[in-house]
Amino acid sequence: MKVKFLFGAMVSGLLGASVWISGALAQTDPLPSWNDGANKQAIVEFVEAVTSEGGADFVAPGERIATFDNDGTLWVEHPMYTQLAFAFDRVKALAPDHPEWKTTQPYQAVLENDMEALGKAGEKGLMEILAVTHASMSTAEFEKTVTDWIATARHPKFDKPYTELVYQPMLELLAYLRANDFKTFIVSGGGIEFMRPWTESVYGIPTEQVVGSSIVTEYKVVDGVPTLMRTPKIAFVDDKAGKPVGILTHIGKRPLAAFGNSDGDYQMLQYTTAGSGKRLGMFVHHDDADREYAYDRDTHFGSLNKGLDDAPKEGWHIISMKDDWKQIFPE
């Protein structure tokens, strides 16, 4: 289940990013869904420091970069990554054309919702599912498939569209940073082409500011039409040590601030905060079982182990969902 790249997902927007942002910025408090405390104060003090012209920590607007993981940082990642749920639903939708899947693993496990058998299939099994559900089609076909699915799929616990299960405090943080001339990027282990169809409407983050994992894409002329075709081969995994590489490749600048929630984001925070001047690194800690989920070290999705241990010595902040956030999701 390590391949967070295979599955990484999208988020909310029924409120409409532009409508929400204008409302948030109209308020005196730029982070109204955050409880007063050390973490909220750290964010505000960081932003004020790097935007105060003439100050020791001032950074020119063109250098103000903030990166955000997606799954578990901007929206729900349990009971499984949203892109994994998408892949499973695609297997079920395609199953009528493949009767042999009823007795063939790993497809049988998906059709029977047998997570134990799926776990035994391992990475090889997940790669098979990826090949069937994400490849051998054009990029335009894949974008339409993702767009159609995300418009109707519902989360199994909350019985709401996945697009409603984004974190209100993080939406406020994105808006606050952009209001202070930060450029905000998603840097996720999820598939880059799975996220791009919806990130702008949900987060206000355009497609060119999305960094993610990718599969090999080939240019072909199909029936006289120039077409980009998706293949089953992995091109790049934007997770763990891959994140700083993805940042360099796609952004070309070291971020001033980085936000994640798992050990898959460790190297992104490490790379970001190793730079000179004022820096900010933060992990979202899922410790609110009543309003969302509670997990950290012992989980297949979004494990936070080394990050919890090393945060104090690295100067990183641990955001408690339970204590730091007044609300979790948009109302």
Side-chain angles (χ1 to χ4, degrees), residues 100-158:
E100 71 278 7
W101 286 358
K102 292 181 181 179
T103 56
T104 305
Q105 297 291 8
Y107 310 106
Q108 180 181 351
V110 174
L111 296 175
E112 296 176 355
N113 295 313
D114 187 343
M115 295 300 104
E116 183 177 350
L118 187 63
K120 291 179 180 178
E123 185 172 331
K124 180 178 181 294
L126 292 178
M127 290 299 297
E128 286 187 42
I129 293 172
L130 173 69
V132 167
T133 60
H134 286 61
S136 302
M137 68 183 82
S138 71
T139 55
E141 290 170 327
F142 184 71
E143 179 177 346
K144 183 179 186 307
T145 300
V146 171
T147 301
D148 290 346
W149 182 83
I150 207 70
T152 58
R154 301 180 75 85
H155 189 275
K157 175 178 177 178
F158 298 103

Side-chain angles (χ1 to χ4, degrees), residues 49-101:
V50 299
T51 60
S52 295
E53 197 162 357
D57 296 310
F58 175 73
V59 177
E63 302 298 317
R64 296 176 197 165
I65 303 294
T67 56
F68 291 77
D69 172 54
N70 185 42
D71 297 311
T73 299
L74 296 178
W75 74 339
V76 169
E77 68 178 355
H78 269 218
M80 68 178 71
Y81 301 130
T82 305
Q83 194 171 350
L84 180 54
F86 163 77
F88 286 1
D89 281 355
R90 288 297 300 152
V91 168
K92 293 172 183 177
L94 296 170
D97 295 328
H98 298 273
E100 71 278 7
W101 286 358

